[in-house]
């Protein structure tokens, strides 16, 4: 195995830089430092197809069978390089040299992997070996689409026991905008139900990507619908992360997308904070 000597940046979250199959690293704006990613969707397949997604050749589907032994060996190797080797010095800027989390993220929806519960146990085991269990966060970054399925909910409950938390995607609330942004048919009550299921099982933050489409910012209708949903769920969630585009989309709609102004993001954050919802903004 080997790891890349390319400089890590918030502007490049390529999964290939590590040279490994399942394990990679990024500088995360929201985590505030180095994040070790666990990519279970190595076939670039997802059950959603968000128009801002940075994954090349994204297709609809689920991940292939996970080689659990390979994943375990890669995670152990990578942690050793970070903690005992010179990986940080060679690849990470001084201000970012903090291992913040291990994140189930990658090139598709991680909870769609049948082996997800087993992988959580593997990560727990390796963290124990490095005396990191409960010292760093274990994060699931999810679109929440399977949070009505019992095996997925039970897996999320397992995360809670090992200092885990969930970042649950809600980019829009109206059916029309969900269809445009995430390219799925999803109703408001389904978002609310799955978000409540998730937040009951494990500490949960909502994460929302906001951008312009064809030069138009989100409509007042969409913003109000979003804020209203957050007001209904605020007692269940830990907070909200809202953020703009940091990396270019690799989807067919890429040219239609634009970065939102910091003023617009802060305006939405202000509405949420007025409702006493803990809100962070990454422009």
């Amino acid at each position: 195995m080997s790891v890349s000597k390319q400089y890590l940046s918030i502007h490049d979250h390529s999964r290939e830089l590590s040279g490994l199959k399942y394990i990679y690293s990024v500088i995360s704006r929201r985590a505030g430092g180095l994040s070790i990613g666990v990519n279970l969707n190595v076939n670039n397949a997802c059950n959603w197809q968000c128009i801002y997604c940075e994954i090349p050749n994204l297709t609809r589907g689920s991940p292939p069978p996970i080689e659990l032994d390979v994943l375990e060996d890669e995670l152990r190797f990578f942690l050793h390089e970070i903690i005992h080797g010179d990986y940080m010095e060679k690849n990470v800027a001084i201000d970012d040299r903090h291992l913040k989390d291990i994140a189930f993220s990658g090139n598709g929806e991680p909870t769609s992997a049948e082996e997800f519960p087993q992988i959580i146990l593997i990560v727990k085991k390796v963290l124990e070996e490095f005396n990191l269990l409960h010292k760093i966060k274990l994060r699931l970054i999810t679109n929440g689409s399977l949070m009505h399925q019992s095996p997925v909910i039970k897996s999320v409950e397992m995360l809670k026991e090992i200092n885990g938390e969930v970042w649950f995607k809600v980019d829009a609330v109206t059916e029309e905008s969900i269809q445009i942004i995430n390219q799925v048919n999803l109703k408001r009550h389904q978002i609310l139900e799955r978000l409540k299921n998730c937040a009951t099982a494990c500490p949960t933050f909502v994460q929302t990507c906001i951008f312009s489409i064809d030069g138009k910012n989100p409509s007042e209708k969409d913003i109000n619908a979003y804020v209203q949903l957050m007001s209904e769920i605020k007692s269940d969630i830990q907070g909200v992360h809202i953020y703009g585009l940091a990396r270019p989309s690799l989807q067919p709609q890429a040219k239609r997308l634009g970065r939102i102004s910091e003023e617009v993001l802060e305006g939405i954050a202000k509405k949420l904070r007025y409702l006493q919802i803990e809100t962070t903004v990454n422009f």
Side-chain angles (χ1 to χ4, degrees):
M1 297 183 190
S2 64
V3 292
S4 167
K5 292 185 179 180
Q6 295 187 51
Y7 198 77
L8 295 177
S9 163
I10 64 168
H11 302 295
D12 187 355
H13 278 194
S14 172
R15 320 305 186 213
E16 286 72 42
L17 294 180
S18 70
L20 306 177
K21 183 173 184 178
Y22 297 109
I23 304 300
Y24 64 99
S25 63
V26 298
I27 301 301
S28 169
R29 291 181 295 166
R30 281 163 285 161
L34 185 72
S35 173
I36 296 178
V38 181
N39 178 22
L40 305 181
N41 303 75
V42 294
N43 58 345
N44 294 12
C46 187
N47 58 354
W48 287 18
Q49 205 155 16
C50 303
I51 62 175
Y52 60 85
C53 186
E54 65 202 66
I55 303 306
N57 305 311
L58 183 67
T59 60
R60 297 273 187 172
S62 55
I66 308 299
E67 297 178 78
L68 297 176
D69 56 338
V70 173
L71 189 152
E72 181 175 341
D73 288 345
E74 287 186 353
L75 179 58
R76 184 177 289 110
F77 163 78
F78 207 83
L79 278 172
H80 185 274
E81 289 294 304
I82 289 172
I83 295 170
H84 301 298
D86 58 2
Y87 182 83
M88 286 282 202
E89 182 180 346
K90 288 184 176 180
N91 296 279
V92 183
I94 292 176
D95 290 346
D96 294 321
R97 288 178 190 170
H98 313 280
L99 178 57
K100 305 300 288 190
D101 65 21
I102 292 178
F104 296 105
S105 184
N107 296 9
E109 173 51 39
T111 64
S112 61
E114 292 184 8
E115 302 89 346
F116 187 54
Q118 297 164 264
I119 295 164
I120 292 173
L121 293 177
I122 287 173
V123 173
K124 177 184 177 182
K125 171 186 172 183
V126 176
L127 285 177
E128 286 176 329
E129 291 177 14
F130 286 88
N131 194 30
L132 287 174
L133 191 61
H134 299 291
K135 293 182 180 179
I136 63 171
K137 283 290 183 182
L138 189 58
R139 290 189 167 107
L140 167 63
I141 301 175
T142 177
N143 60 30
S145 60
L146 304 178
M147 288 293 172
H148 59 296
Q149 297 183 2
S150 180
V152 175
I153 295 171
K154 288 180 179 177
S155 296
V156 173
E157 290 173 344
M158 291 167 58
L159 283 178
K160 181 181 180 180
E161 301 304 316
I162 50 176
N163 198 30
E165 67 183 31
V166 180
W167 289 358
F168 189 114
K169 178 197 297 289
V170 181
D171 294 322
V173 173
T174 65
E175 291 180 44
E176 179 183 6
S177 292
I178 293 169
Q179 178 60 244
I180 292 170
I181 295 171
N182 308 122
Q183 300 196 82
V184 291
N185 295 314
L186 187 64
K187 299 185 183 301
R188 185 185 193 278
H189 73 86
Q190 293 175 307
I191 300 173
L192 199 57
E193 175 192 7
R194 293 168 190 177
L195 191 45
K196 282 182 176 288
N197 288 344
C198 186
T200 299
C202 187
T204 298
F205 290 82
V206 170
Q207 60 164 8
T208 304
C209 187
I210 302 175
F211 48 90
S212 65
I213 302 177
D214 298 327
K216 297 179 180 178
N217 292 339
S219 67
E220 281 300 311
K221 176 184 176 182
D222 279 315
I223 292 173
N224 290 338
Y226 174 80
V227 172
Q228 177 60 35
L229 184 77
M230 293 304 106
S231 73
E232 293 176 32
I233 198 70
K234 70 176 185 178
S235 62
D236 298 283
I237 62 174
Q238 305 298 304
V240 174
H241 301 308
I242 59 176
Y243 56 100
L245 297 176
R247 296 169 296 279
S249 165
L250 294 180
Q251 306 314 307
Q253 304 90 339
K255 291 183 179 179
R256 299 178 59 196
L257 311 184
R259 291 197 73 189
I260 207 82
S261 72
E262 192 169 3
E263 182 181 9
V264 172
L265 287 180
E266 287 292 351
I268 297 172
K270 184 177 179 179
K271 292 176 183 287
L272 296 173
R273 290 168 184 151
Y274 179 79
L275 296 170
Q276 297 184 318
I277 299 172
E278 186 73 29
T279 304
T280 61
V281 177
N282 290 111
F283 173 65

